[in-house]
Structures are given as structure tokens and as C-alpha cells.
Amino acid sequence: TEPEEILNGKTKVNLSGWTTVLVKAQDGEHVKKYRIKVEAQESAAIESFAVTIDDVVYRGIIDDEAGTILLTLPAGTDVSHVVSQVTVGNGCTVSPAPGEVVDLRNPVVYTVTNGSETSYYTVIVTMEKTHSQQLWEQMEKDNTVTDHQVVKE
């Protein structure tokens, strides 16, 4: 593009490609020429997180602000050897790496880095309740459980 002159930092300049910029000193006589290019850097963030278990894809709910990924799986799911599918922005790296086997029985922290920016996401797995657990909780809530129905040890 053609050189543009910036006066008092108020002139708009297209910085989408290489641009030559002339900067005039405060004395009004000295001019310095710069060739610049601005490239946007994506933030160090996880864009998507999922695991596939028994050919079913389960997607995590990402909360960038809290730094958490909530993953709900069917009751009884073995999460000791899970392969995660993680997507991050261009230029970002993530650890554990996508496709790496992880043990989700306890929270796992994923670290995303882009240049000097680093973000951390903790994956927290919750198991769906079985039908019997849901029924029992509803009975307790409705107060339909009586003493003779509960076995005391």
C-alpha cells in the first residue's frame, strides 16, 4: 500500500497487510519511515472439548471465565482411559495433547499456550444419575419415604 502520514496519531491506516508509515517528529521537520504489519493473535483458549465413548460423542461445556470444562457422562462410565478431542485456535498449543489418553476419575487440567499467554482449564466429570437414584431422590423430596421403608444399620 501507499505510505500514509500519521499526524498526532489520528489518521486511520489499513494494517491488514504490509504498510509503510511515515511518522513526523514533533519538530515537524524530521520524518521516519516504518514498514509494519499487524497480525492478530488468537487468545490461548479451548474452542471445543469432547470425548468419544462407545461410539458416542460427549461434548464438554466450556466456561472461559471460570477456566472449567464440565462433562456429563452416563452413570457407570469408565473414565480411567479416555481420549479427548480438543480444539484450540491457530498458533495455540495444548497439554495434554489432543488424542492423548487421560484419566478423568479426578479433575484434569489442560494448559493452553499462545506466545506469552497461557490459560488453564480444569475438566470436571459428573455422572448422570441412574433411574433408581432419580426415583429415590424424588421420593425423599416428596417426603414419601417412611421409616419402615428405610433399612437402618
Side-chain angles (χ1 to χ4, degrees), residues 111-131:
T111 305
V112 183
T113 306
N114 191 359
S116 62
E117 183 183 357
T118 301
S119 298
Y120 302 94
Y121 292 84
T122 303
V123 178
I124 301 167
V125 175
T126 56
M127 296 291 176
E128 293 175 339
K129 295 178 182 174
T130 63
H131 292 294

Side-chain angles (χ1 to χ4, degrees), residues 70-103:
L70 304 178
L71 185 62
T72 302
L73 300 172
T77 302
D78 179 11
V79 293
S80 62
H81 294 82
V82 177
V83 177
S84 60
Q85 296 114 33
V86 184
T87 305
V88 295
N90 290 335
C92 294
T93 59
V94 62
S95 176
E100 188 174 327
V101 175
V102 293
D103 181 352

Side-chain angles (χ1 to χ4, degrees), residues 36-56:
I36 61 173
K37 181 179 181 182
V38 176
E39 292 180 354
Q41 178 178 339
E42 293 201 31
S43 63
I46 291 179
E47 295 175 354
S48 69
F49 182 91
V51 297
T52 302
I53 299 171
D54 297 329
D55 296 324
V56 178

Side-chain angles (χ1 to χ4, degrees), residues 5-67:
E5 190 173 319
I6 298 178
L7 301 174
N8 300 322
K10 295 181 182 175
T11 302
K12 291 182 181 179
V13 179
N14 179 357
L15 298 177
S16 61
W18 283 102
T19 303
T20 301
V21 180
L22 303 176
V23 179
K24 191 181 291 187
Q26 286 183 342
D27 63 15
E29 295 180 22
H30 296 89
V31 176
K32 189 101 175 174
K33 185 180 195 179
Y34 295 94
R35 185 158 161 75
I36 61 173
K37 181 179 181 182
V38 176
E39 292 180 354
Q41 178 178 339
E42 293 201 31
S43 63
I46 291 179
E47 295 175 354
S48 69
F49 182 91
V51 297
T52 302
I53 299 171
D54 297 329
D55 296 324
V56 178
V57 177
Y58 298 93
R59 300 195 185 288
I61 299 171
I62 301 168
D63 184 336
D64 292 310
E65 204 168 293

